[in-house]
Amino acid sequence: MIRVVLADDHGVIRDGLGRLIAALDDIELVGVASDGVEAVRRAAELAPDVVLMDLDMPRLDGIEATRQVLADHPQTAVLVLTSFSDRPRILGAIEAGACGYLLKDVAADEVAEGIRAAARGESPIDPRAARTLVTAQAQPDPGERLSGREAEVLVLLVEGLPNKLIALRLEISEKTVKTHLTSIFRALGVTDRTQAALWAERNGFTDRRGG
């Protein structure tokens, strides 16, 4: 019997997956968690074979929860089940140690088979997430090409600060801000502030920078 802990902050999702797992002969739902902190605690208390982990949760997100679960219980397999297919979250989850990455729009039997595969030590990954991983290997993240100061400028740009306030916040001149923006636009392949801000939001750049 495969013992599973389910971590998701949406009650409807927990209930639906709970009913799915209850109908299976070889998988048992031993615990649920509504946020990342509770997921870590449940994993410690119950020592499940698999933790089915959402990513966007309060108090502690799924990526950090994955990291903490595996730090204390490396024998547990963490299988991500989320709505997000963006590059930063996929890479973050895999780097944190998740064995697989499934999206919530997959069929119920795919979730069940994903749990079984994770328990066998395999890596069930949604084809869309797999494509992102392959692309990431071939094309490094443009955000990684930014200097520390350029990254700070981009974060403040996302907050909506004009050049003058960015200069004041970072204690640099407006001319230097403009120079940094030119470098940022070139690195990201965009042409203006709006496009740069959209790139940062779509790729979770401020989340990665702690903003």
Side-chain angles (χ1 to χ4, degrees):
M1 184 70 72
I2 301 170
R3 303 174 72 254
V4 175
V5 164
L6 168 61
D8 197 294
D9 63 326
H10 290 96
V12 172
I13 299 293
R14 293 196 303 273
D15 291 344
L17 287 171
R19 287 193 295 272
L20 163 66
I21 293 173
L24 302 172
D25 295 330
D26 59 336
I27 302 175
E28 177 187 9
L29 183 62
V30 297
V32 296
S34 59
D35 60 54
V37 172
E38 192 176 0
V40 175
R41 185 168 62 247
R42 287 294 192 182
E45 294 170 349
L46 301 168
D49 301 302
V50 178
V51 175
L52 202 55
M53 184 78 76
D54 188 21
L55 292 186
D56 188 19
M57 294 188 293
R59 294 210 290 170
L60 189 70
D61 66 51
I63 291 176
E64 183 57 32
T66 295
R67 187 174 289 112
Q68 292 187 23
V69 167
L70 295 175
D72 294 333
H73 307 280
Q75 73 280 4
T76 296
V78 176
L79 175 59
V80 169
L81 181 64
T82 183
S83 302
F84 300 101
S85 59
D86 59 279
R87 170 178 170 148
R89 285 188 175 91
I90 294 171
L91 293 179
I94 298 302
E95 289 170 359
C99 71
Y101 198 104
L102 299 180
L103 299 178
K104 287 182 178 177
D105 60 0
V106 299
D109 59 346
E110 292 182 67
V111 175
E113 186 50 42
I115 293 171
R116 296 185 183 107
R120 291 193 299 264
E122 300 173 7
S123 298
I125 297 181
D126 185 280
R128 288 160 291 182
R131 282 194 295 273
T132 298
L133 290 173
V134 171
T135 302
Q137 290 181 335
Q139 300 176 355
D141 185 351
E144 294 177 357
R145 296 199 293 265
L146 301 180
S147 68
R149 180 64 83 186
E150 289 166 353
E152 292 174 336
V153 170
L154 180 55
V155 168
L156 294 177
L157 183 152
V158 172
E159 293 179 8
L161 272 63
N163 289 359
K164 183 175 182 179
L165 289 182
I166 292 175
L168 288 172
R169 181 79 66 86
L170 299 179
E171 297 181 345
I172 56 179
S173 68
E174 284 189 63
K175 181 178 179 180
T176 300
V177 172
K178 292 178 181 177
T179 298
H180 286 318
L181 288 174
T182 299
S183 297
I184 292 168
F185 297 164
R186 185 183 304 114
L188 303 184
V190 300
T191 58
D192 57 36
R193 297 170 63 93
T194 300
Q195 291 179 5
L198 286 173
W199 180 94
E201 292 180 350
R202 288 171 180 166
N203 288 276
F205 185 80
T206 53
D207 293 337
R208 287 179 281 162
R209 297 288 301 180

